Amino acid sequence: MTTDSTAHDSAYWMAQESEYYVHTFNRQPIVIERGEGARVWDVDGNEYLDFVAGLAVVGLGHSHPAVAEAVRDQVGTLLQTSNLYYTVPQLELGRMLVENSCMDKVFFANSGVEANEGAVKLARKYGRLHRNGAQSVITVLNSFHGRTLGMIAATGQPAYQEAWLPLAEGFTNVPYDDLDAIREATTDETCAIMVEVVQGEGGVNVPTEGYLKGLREWCDENNLLLIFDEVQTGMGRLGHLWGYEHSGVEPDVMTIAKALGNGVPVGAFLCKERCNVLEPGDHGSTFGGNVLATAAGRATLGHMLENDIPGHAARVGDYLRAKLEEFAVAHAPATTGVRGVGLLQALLFDQPIARAVVTNANAEGVLLNPVLPNAIRFMPPLIITEADVDECLTKLDAALTKTLAA
């Protein structure tokens, strides 16, 4: 059955969701119909400035012409072959990723969580071969690596874990930004350490200077693999193409997804040659590296490189940070600070009002994310302008004022 979306308002579609969809999301009451650049429109005709970007996915903005053209051309040519055969977009995207990173090899998946699962499999085989059979991975609290049963165990957030006990074995969660905790948790069973360069879902937590370097040194001393989960921080989000460039620390393995396809689902893990231990039959995916997804990724990455989108994100990210700091000072004590890097920022409150502020901001015409009860996350398309930042904060000012007056 086909339905003309313009024939129904948002209430109709929300009722459809309630009737047919498994209720695992607490959605905002907005039915988005189309998008262009940094803006989206709902089925009722309302316009929103989008500072969520599909959860840091549409880095080039909605309906970007380069990606749309690549997808249209690919749909009319070839959609799926499986990995029993070679396809040109997959191999070209793989080459682009390797040539523009510190990595040597790539494997494509469908999502960030699949990329993380693959990285852990690689690490465990490395441990079996080079660490006397070691199979355990150290991760940190307030991290987020996905919602599969394996990655729930890796994710250091008890709220995500408690309903799914017993957890998969082989993961140790330790405090974030604490090198001593890493050292104390390392045993003969440890094969790798996995962290986010900046924690996204945990509240936009930035490590202190020296933490990532310390992890690198500890891994080198103990022949451990260092895995950076760059699912959210990669593809220009922090003002460099890859988040690790911000710290100057190179991982052994890196996972990416989100913005790689600018909305078309695609993920990958990349590794250095020294830990390239997987062989035929060790790992696979029917859709991973699908010709449509990698055509979108090729167009997305190509446009980012040709137009220095990471450099633009760095400049506008500095502007966003400065304006948020001014905003926080102006609205103290209700606002208590700002943290983040590039175009991944958070505004903190002294009370758990983030969701109410976001609801009021939606009514003003800007989409934001209540990442914690007391924090709002800003992760807009990387193509936003200073004028977009100003508009966002003007609308946020009205939303916060309304929230505090309630």
Side-chain angles (χ1 to χ4, degrees):
M1 182 185 72
T2 59
T3 303
D4 180 5
S5 64
T6 61
H8 301 287
D9 62 11
S10 58
Y12 171 86
W13 293 112
M14 287 186 283
Q16 293 283 292
E17 190 260 8
S18 179
E19 182 172 358
Y20 296 113
Y21 202 89
V22 175
H23 184 66
T24 60
F25 301 106
N26 289 317
R27 306 179 196 252
Q28 292 289 336
I30 300 170
V31 182
I32 296 174
E33 183 176 37
R34 63 183 179 92
E36 182 178 349
R39 297 178 188 273
V40 296
W41 288 262
D42 67 18
V43 294
D44 301 319
N46 299 305
E47 177 183 322
Y48 305 88
L49 179 61
D50 184 4
F51 267 53
V52 177
L55 289 173
V57 168
V58 285
L60 298 182
H62 296 279
S63 306
H64 191 276
V67 181
E69 181 180 4
V71 170
R72 278 195 299 266
D73 289 346
Q74 194 60 56
V75 165
T77 305
L78 183 69
L79 281 178
Q80 168 71 0
T81 67
S82 86
N83 284 302
L84 295 175
Y85 311 99
Y86 300 94
T87 57
V88 173
Q90 182 190 89
L91 298 173
E92 288 188 337
L93 178 57
R95 180 182 64 196
M96 292 168 69
L97 288 168
V98 168
E99 290 181 349
N100 290 281
S101 73
C102 66
M103 298 296 168
D104 300 310
K105 300 291 183 181
V106 61
F107 181 94
F108 287 109
N110 301 293
S111 63
V113 69
E114 287 188 23
N116 286 334
E117 291 274 1
V120 168
K121 285 182 68 175
L122 181 147
R124 287 183 170 173
K125 184 167 185 182
Y126 180 89
R128 179 164 62 83
L129 296 175
H130 301 293
R131 281 274 296 170
N132 298 315
Q135 297 287 286
S136 182
V137 177
I138 298 173
T139 62
V140 298
L141 298 177
N142 294 317
S143 62
F144 184 81
H145 300 295
R147 297 175 187 267
T148 59
L149 286 174
M151 288 303 104
I152 285 174
T155 291
Q157 296 196 48
Y160 285 106
Q161 298 174 338
E162 291 169 355
W164 314 113
L165 299 174
L167 298 178
E169 297 181 354
F171 297 97
T172 301
N173 307 147
V174 303
Y176 174 65
D177 203 17
D178 186 337
L179 286 172
D180 287 337
I182 293 284
R183 297 185 185 106
E184 292 171 7
T186 302
T187 70
D188 290 341
E189 297 300 315
T190 306
C191 64
I193 298 168
M194 181 164 69
V195 298
E196 297 156 276
V197 175
V198 172
Q199 290 186 331
E201 296 292 325
V204 190
N205 302 310
V206 182
T208 55
E209 186 174 355
Y211 177 66
L212 298 179
K213 180 181 178 182
L215 292 180
R216 177 72 274 170
E217 292 172 349
W218 183 249
C219 287
D220 290 342
E221 290 173 17
N222 292 275
N223 191 25
L224 306 173
L225 295 187
L226 180 59
I227 304 171
F228 280 172
D229 179 337
E230 292 244 27
V231 169
Q232 188 164 147
T233 57
M235 293 296 290
R237 177 60 51 185
L238 303 188
H240 297 276
L241 186 59
W242 310 116
Y244 72 76
E245 296 177 276
H246 184 75
S247 66
V249 175
E250 294 185 0
D252 300 301
V253 184
M254 175 174 71
T255 61
I256 60 176
K258 286 193 180 289
L260 179 57
N262 205 60
V264 177
V266 58
F269 67 83
L270 296 93
C271 67
K272 296 284 185 75
E273 185 59 55
R274 78 175 190 88
C275 56
N276 177 29
V277 296
L278 297 181
E279 301 172 293
D282 282 348
H283 197 49
S285 174
T286 297
F287 292 111
N290 170 277
V291 65
L292 176 65
T294 50
R298 180 178 60 180
T300 300
L301 181 57
H303 186 87
M304 280 196 174
L305 294 171
E306 292 166 9
N307 294 275
D308 190 22
I309 298 300
H312 176 81
R315 292 187 294 274
V316 181
D318 287 344
Y319 184 82
L320 172 62
R321 176 59 178 258
K323 290 298 182 179
L324 282 172
E325 289 176 344
E326 292 176 7
F327 188 96
V329 170
H331 293 83
T335 47
T336 60
V338 180
R339 60 189 180 219
V341 179
L343 285 176
L344 180 60
Q345 300 286 339
L347 176 67
L348 311 179
F349 302 107
D350 69 341
Q351 302 175 53
I353 59 172
R355 183 165 290 278
V357 173
V358 166
T359 297
N360 287 326
N362 291 344
E364 295 292 331
V366 62
L367 304 183
L368 296 163
N369 173 240
V371 66
L372 294 175
N374 68 331
I376 287 176
R377 177 169 46 169
F378 300 75
M379 45 186 169
L382 306 184
I383 48 83
I384 64 161
T385 65
E386 288 85 350
D388 292 328
V389 172
D390 292 341
E391 179 183 343
C392 173
L393 293 185
T394 296
K395 292 177 175 179
L396 179 60
D397 181 273
L400 180 58
T401 300
K402 182 178 180 179
T403 303
L404 296 175

